[in-house]
Amino acid sequence: MDKQVRNYTRKLAVIGGTAVLALALSACSGNNGTGSGGNQPTNAPGDSATQPPVTQVTSPPANNSSNTNNGGNGVHTGSKPTSKPQSGQANGGKDESKLAVGKIFELAKEGKVPGCSYAAHTSLYDDIEKEWGKADHNDFVGKGMYAEYKKRGITFGYNKGMVVFDVRSYSKDLHSLTLKNIESALGKADETTVNGDDHIYTYNVNKQYQLKFVIPASTKKVDHISVYSPDDTKNLMAG
């Protein structure tokens, strides 16, 4: 009996020793698995412990970066620069004047002035009088008769054959134009004459017509314009 107990006890000791050995090996294996990384110094130069994690460094949003970098130049992402003048703000008046003079010159090629459908050389004063009625004034001046329509701001010069040779406009739209505006659009005049206080700048539009800008020295701005047909100043009724 005692022998059996001793044998049984010996078996339990062997089994227990085996279990303890297995646990020890398992623990050792676990230490070796984690120890490979733990054998290196955690505070070595260049290690992540001495540098901020990469994931913590983020670039600022693109729009914020653009606004920060270019703010001093008045440039904002997604919008037009506020420091740059818009088209027409700085030179709008000059451009408008140039366009107005250009339009006057183009109409002069047809013998016309702005705001009037009747032309020098091709229109008869009889037809004008039928449609517009009697003129406010109808007087002989220079080389022919001149019919003035004050409310319309238009005056016609015509010869004895009733052919219109001169169409003048006194429109208020012309009164802001200066010689500088005119020369900016058309260059220097082909001829410059003086009649009292008036300086007359004449441009040869084509073989048929001349365009005249009349500028008083007292105002230095256009008083009126004239589209003139020199050939029609002759008395076509003469024999």
Side-chain angles (χ1 to χ4, degrees):
M1 180 68 178
D2 291 337
K3 185 177 180 179
Q4 290 178 350
V5 170
R6 284 195 300 269
N7 289 336
Y8 181 75
T9 301
R10 192 178 292 115
K11 289 181 180 179
L12 287 177
V14 173
I15 293 172
T18 302
V20 170
L21 180 60
L23 289 173
L25 291 174
S26 175
C28 183
S29 175
N31 289 336
N32 289 338
T34 58
S36 59
N39 291 334
Q40 297 179 357
T42 56
N43 295 325
D47 192 78
S48 61
T50 61
Q51 297 181 354
V54 175
T55 56
Q56 293 180 3
V57 180
T58 58
S59 299
N63 288 341
N64 291 339
S65 175
S66 176
N67 289 339
T68 301
N69 293 337
N70 299 324
N73 295 327
V75 180
H76 302 280
T77 302
S79 61
K80 294 182 180 180
T82 56
S83 60
K84 181 180 179 181
Q86 296 297 320
S87 177
Q89 285 182 349
N91 299 319
K94 182 178 178 181
D95 291 342
E96 289 176 5
S97 297
K98 192 172 182 178
L99 288 172
V101 173
K103 181 180 178 181
I104 291 169
F105 190 84
E106 288 301 312
L107 285 172
K109 293 178 181 180
E110 303 172 9
K112 299 178 181 180
V113 297
C116 180
S117 59
Y118 292 106
H121 180 63
T122 58
S123 296
L124 298 175
Y125 179 66
D126 286 342
D127 297 331
I128 297 171
E129 192 174 48
K130 288 177 184 178
E131 184 174 343
W132 285 18
K134 295 288 184 180
D136 296 301
H137 296 284
N138 204 338
D139 303 308
F140 184 83
V141 180
K143 296 183 178 182
M145 297 294 293
Y146 276 82
E148 179 185 8
Y149 291 85
K150 283 188 175 182
K151 291 183 179 179
R152 294 179 181 269
I154 299 291
T155 295
F156 299 100
Y158 59 97
N159 61 27
K160 289 185 178 180
M162 293 295 176
V163 176
V164 173
F165 63 81
D166 190 1
V167 183
R168 299 181 179 181
S169 173
Y170 294 80
S171 171
K172 293 180 180 179
D173 294 337
L174 302 171
H175 296 169
S176 63
L177 296 177
T178 65
L179 178 59
K180 186 176 181 180
N181 297 145
I182 297 166
E183 291 182 342
S184 176
L186 304 178
K188 295 287 185 181
D190 295 300
E191 182 183 1
T192 301
T193 55
V194 178
N195 182 15
D197 187 52
D198 294 336
H199 290 249
I200 304 169
Y201 301 89
T202 301
Y203 292 84
N204 296 322
V205 178
N206 50 38
K207 292 181 179 180
Q208 186 66 55
Y209 300 115
Q210 293 177 333
L211 171 61
K212 301 174 183 284
F213 294 89
V214 181
I215 303 178
S218 57
T219 65
K220 300 187 184 302
K221 294 184 178 181
V222 172
D223 177 72
H224 67 276
I225 61 173
S226 165
V227 176
Y228 192 76
S229 174
D231 291 342
D232 292 310
T233 59
K234 300 173 183 178
N235 183 3
L236 299 181
M237 297 299 292

